Amino acid sequence: MLVFLMLSVVNHAQKSQKDDEKDVKVGLVLSGGGAKGFAHVGVLKVLEKAGIRIDYIAGTSMGAIVGGLYASGYNADQLDSILQTNDFIELFQDNVPRKSASFYQKENLGKYAVSLPIKKKRLGLPSAVTDGQNVFNLFSELTKHVHKVTNFENLPIPFFCIATNLENGEEVVLDHGFLPQAIRASGTFPGLLTPIEIDGKTLVDGGITDNYPVDKMLEKGVDYVIGVDTQGELHMIDEINSLPMLLKQIVGFQMYKNLDEKIKLTDVYIKPDISEFDDFSFLSKSEIVEKGVKAADDKFESLLKIASKQKKKPTYPGVAVNQIDSDFIVRAIDFTGNIHYTEKYLLKKLGFDVGSTINTKTFTEGINALSATQNFKSVQYRMIPVKGGIRIEFNIVEEDAHSFIKLGIHYDDLYKTGVLVNFTSKHLLFKNDFLSTDFIIGDKFRYNIDYILDNGFNWSFGINSRYNSFGMEVYSSFDEHYKDGTDTYGLKIPVTYNDFSTQFFFQTSFKNKMALRLGVEHKFLKSYIKEIINDKERKLYIDQNNYYDSFAKAIFDSYDSGLFPKKGFYFEANYKMYLFSSDFSDNFKAFSQLYGNIGFAITPVNKLTFHLTSDAGVTIGNNNNFIHDYHLGGNNENFINTFVPFYGYNVADLNDVSFVKTALEIRYEIFKKNYVSFLGNFSRLDDDLWNGGNIFADTRTGYAIGYNIETIIGPIELHYSWSPETNNKMWYFNLGFWF
């Protein structure tokens, strides 16, 4: 109390002398308040309209973010544009564009609903909803023009912000260092963003210790203080009816302590009426900004009086576009903090090196590629202008959890119920390597084990081991009639299909869009029918062979989503040569198979997507075993080997040594992450696909209408399907990520 009294006396004495001064300095204090802090932008618009020259800015939490950007040179209209063009909900989710993910991630990481870190041999929980990499990327990109500034006194407007030391709860004043890092620390809302380390201190939201630092602003020697308060207030006891409300009330004891005294130190106190909003009202940006405009307009006469006392009039040019987004040459790249990942690996993931000419888009794609590996808690960087270009200084903060337990659930009509338990461990034997083991427990036990030594875009080495098992029904006639796919030619009989495969391969990728894999494989296939003869069960084997093959696989994938792509192109080509077999049926001859898939997605009209795909497979040589035919039918996205989805037919209803298929899906997003769809697929199966030029003869067709929802556990899909060639009409249901 004594401190505030002394400050009040000093403040009053200063003001009594202002008439004799040639100029006066104005300090601006911006409080925290989460999304409610967007009102600061509205207040800044009015300050500019009144002609106020801001000589110093102090901020906490959202006030630090808005104040820091304004101090770096942006004007109010530019800040408003930044607010309107960024989706803050998506930003906090730390989603990385799919194109930045490696091919392994594109194929596998969409399987897990929950990921739990293992730290110090104990299973833990994530420390926050997000690591805040996208938040830091945005701050760093927006302040690129002042990256060389290390003393915040030297910004276009001097600035400081407040953070809280997580270890001891002490207040930390950030007035030097790296601006995007400082405002990220001040705005680290506990539980939403992970804490950030600066100068050996682990920091979180400054609002915990000082959410309205007006007293510290007076210490800077300003003559007038304009304060904008977007904080909430303590609640009445009957309003505290939940655990979040209780915790908010407890934190508020410190936040609102001495607030009345601080208000008395403020010359122009602006309190927007934002009671209808909360800290997470990120969808109400425009409304909150307007609340700030209105509150500042109510104090407009007071603001004009202060502006009239300032001899040097302000200008608000903002930050020139060419300062933010222009091509530059990378003259040097420095890494610190990387322990388990080599510089060569980091550079390959970034996709550029010393001497490269890049722009903001290229640079952001490189950062996203590093973030997508999930090997790093944060990738901090600073761009320093040097002769002829830019020196980039990276500070890599590696993820302290090296092992994870990941979980997923799934149901479909083929595999039925499955619970996925995954164990992932990074740099287990070597730098850059990782091990991933999937075990699916349910109606059909399966597993998939991957070990990859990832060398970025260089050749990587990998091992895959897989066991897969499911049951299906096929037509009982093993002659030409079963290929017709109708029930005219006999009854269906249950077949059990087992696959045990091990691959050794080398793989290289290009910009995370194209990959080439070469390798060898051992495959043990066991497929049989159970028969009851004289009350005894026996197995009639269709196949029980060890196969040894070599393979090549090329993929190009630019889809924006693995589940429901709205744009992008996909191409896959697989060539497999079966060289040897244990020859269970004593009729094996070497043969090969070539399979290709091509897809294209486009959204010409908002929310309306056309997704066209084509598949083809041919067998070269004599395939003497039905099990190696191409089997079409069903809607599964987790088929293995030569099984291919085809709506309108059940699994393996259509079979032959070669096929060609085309499908068109028309999908409309009726509201966010909810889709209705219509799909038609058309196929021809024959050992002679060209058929003397009559390629449309004996075409099989199928159609489906569906409803699809994206959820945290994966897609929920319901399709009604039919085919004009059969009398069968069927429902397909899928729950959860495909695995």
Side-chain angles (χ1 to χ4, degrees), residues 623-663:
N623 167 26
N624 295 319
N625 195 323
F626 151 77
I627 208 67
H628 289 290
D629 281 358
Y630 291 99
H631 311 288
L632 275 65
N635 76 319
N636 284 57
E637 299 294 332
N638 54 357
F639 277 140
I640 61 171
N641 297 336
T642 53
F643 289 83
V644 179
F646 192 82
Y647 282 90
Y649 289 82
N650 283 314
V651 176
D653 273 0
L654 302 172
N655 308 270
D656 215 312
V657 294
S658 299
F659 82 98
V660 62
K661 168 198 161 189
T662 296

mmCIF file of all heavy atoms in Angstrom, residues 623-663:
data_model
loop_
_atom_site.group_PDB
_atom_site.id
_atom_site.type_symbol
_atom_site.label_atom_id
_atom_site.label_comp_id
_atom_site.label_asym_id
_atom_site.label_seq_id
_atom_site.Cartn_x
_atom_site.Cartn_y
_atom_site.Cartn_z
ATOM 1 N N ASN A 623 -0.139 -67.131 -62.545
ATOM 2 C CA ASN A 623 -0.545 -67.208 -61.144
ATOM 3 C C ASN A 623 -1.484 -68.404 -61.002
ATOM 4 O O ASN A 623 -2.626 -68.373 -61.465
ATOM 5 C CB ASN A 623 -1.249 -65.920 -60.738
ATOM 6 C CG ASN A 623 -1.965 -66.051 -59.411
ATOM 7 O OD1 ASN A 623 -1.589 -66.864 -58.573
ATOM 8 N ND2 ASN A 623 -3.006 -65.255 -59.229
ATOM 9 N N ASN A 624 -0.997 -69.443 -60.348
ATOM 10 C CA ASN A 624 -1.764 -70.681 -60.271
ATOM 11 C C ASN A 624 -2.558 -70.810 -58.984
ATOM 12 O O ASN A 624 -3.042 -71.891 -58.671
ATOM 13 C CB ASN A 624 -0.818 -71.889 -60.403
ATOM 14 C CG ASN A 624 -0.156 -71.934 -61.775
ATOM 15 O OD1 ASN A 624 -0.809 -71.679 -62.792
ATOM 16 N ND2 ASN A 624 1.141 -72.244 -61.800
ATOM 17 N N ASN A 625 -2.661 -69.730 -58.235
ATOM 18 C CA ASN A 625 -3.357 -69.814 -56.955
ATOM 19 C C ASN A 625 -4.368 -68.684 -56.851
ATOM 20 O O ASN A 625 -4.028 -67.506 -56.967
ATOM 21 C CB ASN A 625 -2.356 -69.734 -55.792
ATOM 22 C CG ASN A 625 -2.960 -70.178 -54.482
ATOM 23 O OD1 ASN A 625 -4.134 -69.919 -54.210
ATOM 24 N ND2 ASN A 625 -2.162 -70.841 -53.659
ATOM 25 N N PHE A 626 -5.610 -69.070 -56.621
ATOM 26 C CA PHE A 626 -6.708 -68.103 -56.499
ATOM 27 C C PHE A 626 -6.401 -67.022 -55.472
ATOM 28 O O PHE A 626 -6.831 -65.878 -55.617
ATOM 29 C CB PHE A 626 -7.977 -68.877 -56.119
ATOM 30 C CG PHE A 626 -8.977 -68.094 -55.320
ATOM 31 C CD1 PHE A 626 -9.803 -67.161 -55.933
ATOM 32 C CD2 PHE A 626 -9.102 -68.283 -53.953
ATOM 33 C CE1 PHE A 626 -10.729 -66.447 -55.206
ATOM 34 C CE2 PHE A 626 -10.022 -67.567 -53.218
ATOM 35 C CZ PHE A 626 -10.839 -66.647 -53.850
ATOM 36 N N ILE A 627 -5.643 -67.329 -54.426
ATOM 37 C CA ILE A 627 -5.428 -66.393 -53.326
ATOM 38 C C ILE A 627 -4.688 -65.148 -53.785
ATOM 39 O O ILE A 627 -4.767 -64.085 -53.167
ATOM 40 C CB ILE A 627 -4.692 -67.074 -52.156
ATOM 41 C CG1 ILE A 627 -5.071 -66.412 -50.835
ATOM 42 C CG2 ILE A 627 -3.192 -67.088 -52.375
ATOM 43 C CD1 ILE A 627 -6.511 -66.624 -50.444
ATOM 44 N N HIS A 628 -3.936 -65.232 -54.904
ATOM 45 C CA HIS A 628 -3.182 -64.080 -55.408
ATOM 46 C C HIS A 628 -3.972 -63.259 -56.425
ATOM 47 O O HIS A 628 -3.457 -62.266 -56.936
ATOM 48 C CB HIS A 628 -1.863 -64.538 -56.036
ATOM 49 C CG HIS A 628 -0.865 -65.028 -55.039
ATOM 50 N ND1 HIS A 628 -0.230 -64.204 -54.157
ATOM 51 C CD2 HIS A 628 -0.417 -66.282 -54.785
ATOM 52 C CE1 HIS A 628 0.585 -64.909 -53.389
ATOM 53 N NE2 HIS A 628 0.484 -66.181 -53.748
ATOM 54 N N ASP A 629 -5.199 -63.660 -56.723
ATOM 55 C CA ASP A 629 -6.035 -62.833 -57.586
ATOM 56 C C ASP A 629 -6.314 -61.485 -56.913
ATOM 57 O O ASP A 629 -6.146 -61.325 -55.704
ATOM 58 C CB ASP A 629 -7.372 -63.528 -57.853
ATOM 59 C CG ASP A 629 -7.254 -64.619 -58.907
ATOM 60 O OD1 ASP A 629 -6.156 -64.798 -59.454
ATOM 61 O OD2 ASP A 629 -8.270 -65.293 -59.167
ATOM 62 N N TYR A 630 -6.764 -60.550 -57.699
ATOM 63 C CA TYR A 630 -7.269 -59.296 -57.137
ATOM 64 C C TYR A 630 -8.715 -59.529 -56.689
ATOM 65 O O TYR A 630 -9.527 -60.077 -57.433
ATOM 66 C CB TYR A 630 -7.187 -58.170 -58.163
ATOM 67 C CG TYR A 630 -5.766 -57.769 -58.464
ATOM 68 C CD1 TYR A 630 -5.111 -58.248 -59.594
ATOM 69 C CD2 TYR A 630 -5.069 -56.927 -57.601
ATOM 70 C CE1 TYR A 630 -3.796 -57.890 -59.863
ATOM 71 C CE2 TYR A 630 -3.755 -56.561 -57.860
ATOM 72 C CZ TYR A 630 -3.127 -57.053 -58.984
ATOM 73 O OH TYR A 630 -1.823 -56.713 -59.246
ATOM 74 N N HIS A 631 -9.002 -59.118 -55.457
ATOM 75 C CA HIS A 631 -10.301 -59.373 -54.849
ATOM 76 C C HIS A 631 -10.979 -58.031 -54.578
ATOM 77 O O HIS A 631 -10.510 -57.252 -53.744
ATOM 78 C CB HIS A 631 -10.146 -60.144 -53.546
ATOM 79 C CG HIS A 631 -9.251 -61.342 -53.649
ATOM 80 N ND1 HIS A 631 -9.622 -62.495 -54.310
ATOM 81 C CD2 HIS A 631 -7.987 -61.562 -53.196
ATOM 82 C CE1 HIS A 631 -8.633 -63.374 -54.250
ATOM 83 N NE2 HIS A 631 -7.631 -62.830 -53.589
ATOM 84 N N LEU A 632 -12.095 -57.780 -55.260
ATOM 85 C CA LEU A 632 -12.794 -56.509 -55.119
ATOM 86 C C LEU A 632 -14.079 -56.682 -54.314
ATOM 87 O O LEU A 632 -14.774 -57.693 -54.448
ATOM 88 C CB LEU A 632 -13.141 -55.920 -56.484
ATOM 89 C CG LEU A 632 -12.042 -55.082 -57.173
ATOM 90 C CD1 LEU A 632 -10.835 -55.937 -57.516
ATOM 91 C CD2 LEU A 632 -12.598 -54.404 -58.432
ATOM 92 N N GLY A 633 -14.377 -55.670 -53.486
ATOM 93 C CA GLY A 633 -15.599 -55.672 -52.706
ATOM 94 C C GLY A 633 -15.388 -55.071 -51.331
ATOM 95 O O GLY A 633 -14.267 -55.045 -50.813
ATOM 96 N N GLY A 634 -16.460 -54.570 -50.737
ATOM 97 C CA GLY A 634 -16.367 -53.972 -49.412
ATOM 98 C C GLY A 634 -15.959 -52.517 -49.468
ATOM 99 O O GLY A 634 -15.695 -51.954 -50.539
ATOM 100 N N ASN A 635 -15.874 -51.895 -48.292
ATOM 101 C CA ASN A 635 -15.529 -50.467 -48.238
ATOM 102 C C ASN A 635 -14.304 -50.195 -47.389
ATOM 103 O O ASN A 635 -14.041 -49.052 -47.037
ATOM 104 C CB ASN A 635 -16.706 -49.669 -47.677
ATOM 105 C CG ASN A 635 -16.864 -49.820 -46.165
ATOM 106 O OD1 ASN A 635 -16.703 -50.918 -45.625
ATOM 107 N ND2 ASN A 635 -17.179 -48.735 -45.483
ATOM 108 N N ASN A 636 -13.528 -51.219 -47.052
ATOM 109 C CA ASN A 636 -12.410 -51.046 -46.120
ATOM 110 C C ASN A 636 -11.290 -50.197 -46.690
ATOM 111 O O ASN A 636 -10.930 -50.313 -47.863
ATOM 112 C CB ASN A 636 -11.846 -52.403 -45.709
ATOM 113 C CG ASN A 636 -12.730 -53.110 -44.714
ATOM 114 O OD1 ASN A 636 -13.898 -53.341 -44.974
ATOM 115 N ND2 ASN A 636 -12.183 -53.446 -43.566
ATOM 116 N N GLU A 637 -10.715 -49.357 -45.802
ATOM 117 C CA GLU A 637 -9.527 -48.581 -46.131
ATOM 118 C C GLU A 637 -8.278 -49.214 -45.536
ATOM 119 O O GLU A 637 -7.198 -48.639 -45.641
ATOM 120 C CB GLU A 637 -9.676 -47.147 -45.617
ATOM 121 C CG GLU A 637 -10.843 -46.379 -46.220
ATOM 122 C CD GLU A 637 -10.664 -46.117 -47.702
ATOM 123 O OE1 GLU A 637 -9.509 -46.036 -48.159
ATOM 124 O OE2 GLU A 637 -11.682 -45.995 -48.408
ATOM 125 N N ASN A 638 -8.425 -50.392 -44.903
ATOM 126 C CA ASN A 638 -7.268 -51.057 -44.292
ATOM 127 C C ASN A 638 -7.038 -52.434 -44.901
ATOM 128 O O ASN A 638 -6.515 -53.337 -44.252
ATOM 129 C CB ASN A 638 -7.453 -51.172 -42.775
ATOM 130 C CG ASN A 638 -8.763 -51.844 -42.391
ATOM 131 O OD1 ASN A 638 -9.567 -52.185 -43.241
ATOM 132 N ND2 ASN A 638 -8.979 -52.024 -41.096
ATOM 133 N N PHE A 639 -7.411 -52.604 -46.169
ATOM 134 C CA PHE A 639 -7.156 -53.862 -46.860
ATOM 135 C C PHE A 639 -5.659 -54.090 -47.039
ATOM 136 O O PHE A 639 -4.869 -53.138 -47.103
ATOM 137 C CB PHE A 639 -7.818 -53.860 -48.240
ATOM 138 C CG PHE A 639 -9.273 -54.224 -48.224
ATOM 139 C CD1 PHE A 639 -10.166 -53.549 -49.042
ATOM 140 C CD2 PHE A 639 -9.756 -55.242 -47.423
ATOM 141 C CE1 PHE A 639 -11.507 -53.876 -49.056
ATOM 142 C CE2 PHE A 639 -11.099 -55.580 -47.425
ATOM 143 C CZ PHE A 639 -11.981 -54.900 -48.238
ATOM 144 N N ILE A 640 -5.257 -55.344 -47.156
ATOM 145 C CA ILE A 640 -3.862 -55.695 -47.409
ATOM 146 C C ILE A 640 -3.765 -56.480 -48.714
ATOM 147 O O ILE A 640 -4.769 -56.940 -49.264
ATOM 148 C CB ILE A 640 -3.267 -56.532 -46.253
ATOM 149 C CG1 ILE A 640 -4.041 -57.856 -46.102
ATOM 150 C CG2 ILE A 640 -3.274 -55.747 -44.954
ATOM 151 C CD1 ILE A 640 -3.384 -58.835 -45.145
ATOM 152 N N ASN A 641 -2.549 -56.588 -49.210
ATOM 153 C CA ASN A 641 -2.228 -57.407 -50.380
ATOM 154 C C ASN A 641 -3.090 -57.028 -51.580
ATOM 155 O O ASN A 641 -3.132 -55.864 -51.962
ATOM 156 C CB ASN A 641 -2.329 -58.886 -50.027
ATOM 157 C CG ASN A 641 -1.314 -59.280 -48.955
ATOM 158 O OD1 ASN A 641 -0.280 -58.632 -48.792
ATOM 159 N ND2 ASN A 641 -1.608 -60.336 -48.215
ATOM 160 N N THR A 642 -3.823 -57.987 -52.159
ATOM 161 C CA THR A 642 -4.533 -57.740 -53.412
ATOM 162 C C THR A 642 -6.025 -57.489 -53.210
ATOM 163 O O THR A 642 -6.809 -57.618 -54.152
ATOM 164 C CB THR A 642 -4.342 -58.937 -54.362
ATOM 165 O OG1 THR A 642 -4.713 -60.137 -53.671
ATOM 166 C CG2 THR A 642 -2.902 -59.027 -54.828
ATOM 167 N N PHE A 643 -6.432 -57.120 -52.009
ATOM 168 C CA PHE A 643 -7.828 -56.785 -51.746
ATOM 169 C C PHE A 643 -8.057 -55.301 -52.036
ATOM 170 O O PHE A 643 -7.268 -54.441 -51.621
ATOM 171 C CB PHE A 643 -8.188 -57.112 -50.298
ATOM 172 C CG PHE A 643 -8.257 -58.591 -50.020
ATOM 173 C CD1 PHE A 643 -7.106 -59.311 -49.737
ATOM 174 C CD2 PHE A 643 -9.468 -59.260 -50.068
ATOM 175 C CE1 PHE A 643 -7.162 -60.673 -49.491
ATOM 176 C CE2 PHE A 643 -9.539 -60.626 -49.824
ATOM 177 C CZ PHE A 643 -8.382 -61.337 -49.535
ATOM 178 N N VAL A 644 -9.148 -55.009 -52.728
ATOM 179 C CA VAL A 644 -9.436 -53.654 -53.181
ATOM 180 C C VAL A 644 -10.896 -53.336 -52.846
ATOM 181 O O VAL A 644 -11.786 -54.155 -53.106
ATOM 182 C CB VAL A 644 -9.212 -53.511 -54.707
ATOM 183 C CG1 VAL A 644 -9.546 -52.097 -55.175
ATOM 184 C CG2 VAL A 644 -7.784 -53.886 -55.070
ATOM 185 N N PRO A 645 -11.186 -52.161 -52.270
ATOM 186 C CA PRO A 645 -12.585 -51.821 -51.954
ATOM 187 C C PRO A 645 -13.415 -51.603 -53.215
ATOM 188 O O PRO A 645 -12.926 -51.088 -54.222
ATOM 189 C CB PRO A 645 -12.457 -50.537 -51.131
ATOM 190 C CG PRO A 645 -11.141 -49.954 -51.535
ATOM 191 C CD PRO A 645 -10.242 -51.108 -51.829
ATOM 192 N N PHE A 646 -14.682 -52.001 -53.121
ATOM 193 C CA PHE A 646 -15.609 -51.776 -54.231
ATOM 194 C C PHE A 646 -17.017 -51.794 -53.674
ATOM 195 O O PHE A 646 -17.520 -52.822 -53.200
ATOM 196 C CB PHE A 646 -15.449 -52.852 -55.308
ATOM 197 C CG PHE A 646 -16.163 -52.531 -56.597
ATOM 198 C CD1 PHE A 646 -15.583 -51.688 -57.531
ATOM 199 C CD2 PHE A 646 -17.412 -53.066 -56.875
ATOM 200 C CE1 PHE A 646 -16.232 -51.370 -58.713
ATOM 201 C CE2 PHE A 646 -18.075 -52.759 -58.056
ATOM 202 C CZ PHE A 646 -17.489 -51.912 -58.979
ATOM 203 N N TYR A 647 -17.674 -50.623 -53.690
ATOM 204 C CA TYR A 647 -19.026 -50.503 -53.139
ATOM 205 C C TYR A 647 -20.020 -51.278 -54.000
ATOM 206 O O TYR A 647 -19.900 -51.339 -55.220
ATOM 207 C CB TYR A 647 -19.435 -49.038 -53.064
ATOM 208 C CG TYR A 647 -18.823 -48.294 -51.905
ATOM 209 C CD1 TYR A 647 -17.591 -47.648 -52.036
ATOM 210 C CD2 TYR A 647 -19.461 -48.237 -50.672
ATOM 211 C CE1 TYR A 647 -17.029 -46.957 -50.971
ATOM 212 C CE2 TYR A 647 -18.914 -47.551 -49.602
ATOM 213 C CZ TYR A 647 -17.688 -46.917 -49.756
ATOM 214 O OH TYR A 647 -17.132 -46.243 -48.707
ATOM 215 N N GLY A 648 -21.018 -51.841 -53.337
ATOM 216 C CA GLY A 648 -22.055 -52.607 -54.017
ATOM 217 C C GLY A 648 -21.850 -54.102 -53.945
ATOM 218 O O GLY A 648 -22.754 -54.882 -54.260
ATOM 219 N N TYR A 649 -20.650 -54.516 -53.519
ATOM 220 C CA TYR A 649 -20.326 -55.933 -53.393
ATOM 221 C C TYR A 649 -19.642 -56.169 -52.056
ATOM 222 O O TYR A 649 -18.977 -55.279 -51.520
ATOM 223 C CB TYR A 649 -19.400 -56.387 -54.522
ATOM 224 C CG TYR A 649 -20.070 -56.454 -55.882
ATOM 225 C CD1 TYR A 649 -20.229 -55.307 -56.649
ATOM 226 C CD2 TYR A 649 -20.535 -57.668 -56.386
ATOM 227 C CE1 TYR A 649 -20.840 -55.358 -57.894
ATOM 228 C CE2 TYR A 649 -21.147 -57.729 -57.636
ATOM 229 C CZ TYR A 649 -21.303 -56.574 -58.379
ATOM 230 O OH TYR A 649 -21.904 -56.632 -59.607
ATOM 231 N N ASN A 650 -19.781 -57.379 -51.550
ATOM 232 C CA ASN A 650 -19.078 -57.762 -50.333
ATOM 233 C C ASN A 650 -17.622 -58.077 -50.642
ATOM 234 O O ASN A 650 -17.223 -58.222 -51.811
ATOM 235 C CB ASN A 650 -19.750 -58.977 -49.686
ATOM 236 C CG ASN A 650 -21.021 -58.601 -48.950
ATOM 237 O OD1 ASN A 650 -21.046 -57.622 -48.197
ATOM 238 N ND2 ASN A 650 -22.086 -59.356 -49.185
ATOM 239 N N VAL A 651 -16.828 -58.206 -49.591
ATOM 240 C CA VAL A 651 -15.404 -58.476 -49.734
ATOM 241 C C VAL A 651 -15.181 -59.730 -50.586
ATOM 242 O O VAL A 651 -15.792 -60.775 -50.348
ATOM 243 C CB VAL A 651 -14.746 -58.666 -48.352
ATOM 244 C CG1 VAL A 651 -13.277 -59.048 -48.505
ATOM 245 C CG2 VAL A 651 -14.898 -57.402 -47.518
ATOM 246 N N ALA A 652 -14.340 -59.587 -51.623
ATOM 247 C CA ALA A 652 -13.927 -60.695 -52.487
ATOM 248 C C ALA A 652 -15.072 -61.289 -53.293
ATOM 249 O O ALA A 652 -14.991 -62.432 -53.750
ATOM 250 C CB ALA A 652 -13.224 -61.787 -51.677
ATOM 251 N N ASP A 653 -16.133 -60.517 -53.515
ATOM 252 C CA ASP A 653 -17.189 -60.990 -54.409
ATOM 253 C C ASP A 653 -16.723 -61.023 -55.865
ATOM 254 O O ASP A 653 -17.196 -61.822 -56.665
ATOM 255 C CB ASP A 653 -18.418 -60.092 -54.298
ATOM 256 C CG ASP A 653 -19.351 -60.512 -53.177
ATOM 257 O OD1 ASP A 653 -19.039 -61.513 -52.490
ATOM 258 O OD2 ASP A 653 -20.378 -59.834 -52.966
ATOM 259 N N LEU A 654 -15.821 -60.116 -56.235
ATOM 260 C CA LEU A 654 -15.308 -60.027 -57.595
ATOM 261 C C LEU A 654 -13.828 -60.375 -57.583
ATOM 262 O O LEU A 654 -13.056 -59.785 -56.818
ATOM 263 C CB LEU A 654 -15.515 -58.614 -58.156
ATOM 264 C CG LEU A 654 -16.971 -58.112 -58.190
ATOM 265 C CD1 LEU A 654 -17.004 -56.633 -58.577
ATOM 266 C CD2 LEU A 654 -17.799 -58.940 -59.153
ATOM 267 N N ASN A 655 -13.405 -61.300 -58.461
ATOM 268 C CA ASN A 655 -12.033 -61.806 -58.409
ATOM 269 C C ASN A 655 -11.517 -62.108 -59.800
ATOM 270 O O ASN A 655 -12.232 -62.662 -60.641
ATOM 271 C CB ASN A 655 -11.975 -63.105 -57.592
ATOM 272 C CG ASN A 655 -12.622 -62.969 -56.224
ATOM 273 O OD1 ASN A 655 -11.993 -62.616 -55.255
ATOM 274 N ND2 ASN A 655 -13.922 -63.273 -56.166
ATOM 275 N N ASP A 656 -10.273 -61.744 -60.046
ATOM 276 C CA ASP A 656 -9.611 -62.147 -61.282
ATOM 277 C C ASP A 656 -8.141 -61.749 -61.200
ATOM 278 O O ASP A 656 -7.721 -61.051 -60.264
ATOM 279 C CB ASP A 656 -10.269 -61.509 -62.508
ATOM 280 C CG ASP A 656 -10.238 -62.456 -63.711
ATOM 281 O OD1 ASP A 656 -9.154 -63.008 -63.993
ATOM 282 O OD2 ASP A 656 -11.295 -62.655 -64.334
ATOM 283 N N VAL A 657 -7.366 -62.173 -62.192
ATOM 284 C CA VAL A 657 -5.928 -61.920 -62.181
ATOM 285 C C VAL A 657 -5.603 -60.477 -62.551
ATOM 286 O O VAL A 657 -4.500 -59.999 -62.289
ATOM 287 C CB VAL A 657 -5.183 -62.887 -63.121
ATOM 288 C CG1 VAL A 657 -5.294 -64.312 -62.615
ATOM 289 C CG2 VAL A 657 -5.719 -62.777 -64.550
ATOM 290 N N SER A 658 -6.554 -59.784 -63.183
ATOM 291 C CA SER A 658 -6.342 -58.385 -63.556
ATOM 292 C C SER A 658 -7.666 -57.632 -63.422
ATOM 293 O O SER A 658 -8.747 -58.226 -63.534
ATOM 294 C CB SER A 658 -5.824 -58.263 -64.994
ATOM 295 O OG SER A 658 -4.581 -58.921 -65.138
ATOM 296 N N PHE A 659 -7.571 -56.333 -63.198
ATOM 297 C CA PHE A 659 -8.780 -55.524 -63.074
ATOM 298 C C PHE A 659 -8.453 -54.070 -63.377
ATOM 299 O O PHE A 659 -7.298 -53.628 -63.329
ATOM 300 C CB PHE A 659 -9.369 -55.634 -61.661
ATOM 301 C CG PHE A 659 -8.706 -54.724 -60.649
ATOM 302 C CD1 PHE A 659 -9.274 -53.496 -60.317
ATOM 303 C CD2 PHE A 659 -7.491 -55.059 -60.064
ATOM 304 C CE1 PHE A 659 -8.668 -52.644 -59.412
ATOM 305 C CE2 PHE A 659 -6.872 -54.214 -59.160
ATOM 306 C CZ PHE A 659 -7.460 -53.000 -58.825
ATOM 307 N N VAL A 660 -9.485 -53.303 -63.657
ATOM 308 C CA VAL A 660 -9.391 -51.855 -63.739
ATOM 309 C C VAL A 660 -10.650 -51.293 -63.087
ATOM 310 O O VAL A 660 -11.739 -51.864 -63.232
ATOM 311 C CB VAL A 660 -9.237 -51.374 -65.195
ATOM 312 C CG1 VAL A 660 -10.446 -51.756 -66.031
ATOM 313 C CG2 VAL A 660 -9.002 -49.874 -65.247
ATOM 314 N N LYS A 661 -10.508 -50.210 -62.348
ATOM 315 C CA LYS A 661 -11.622 -49.670 -61.567
ATOM 316 C C LYS A 661 -11.540 -48.146 -61.551
ATOM 317 O O LYS A 661 -10.445 -47.576 -61.435
ATOM 318 C CB LYS A 661 -11.570 -50.206 -60.142
ATOM 319 C CG LYS A 661 -12.488 -49.502 -59.146
ATOM 320 C CD LYS A 661 -12.061 -49.772 -57.703
ATOM 321 C CE LYS A 661 -12.647 -48.749 -56.760
ATOM 322 N NZ LYS A 661 -12.100 -48.848 -55.406
ATOM 323 N N THR A 662 -12.680 -47.500 -61.624
ATOM 324 C CA THR A 662 -12.771 -46.050 -61.484
ATOM 325 C C THR A 662 -13.906 -45.724 -60.527
ATOM 326 O O THR A 662 -14.959 -46.372 -60.560
ATOM 327 C CB THR A 662 -13.028 -45.374 -62.841
ATOM 328 O OG1 THR A 662 -11.905 -45.604 -63.695
ATOM 329 C CG2 THR A 662 -13.214 -43.870 -62.667
ATOM 330 N N ALA A 663 -13.691 -44.730 -59.670
ATOM 331 C CA ALA A 663 -14.716 -44.321 -58.705
ATOM 332 C C ALA A 663 -14.774 -42.799 -58.653
ATOM 333 O O ALA A 663 -13.747 -42.123 -58.700
ATOM 334 C CB ALA A 663 -14.419 -44.881 -57.324
#
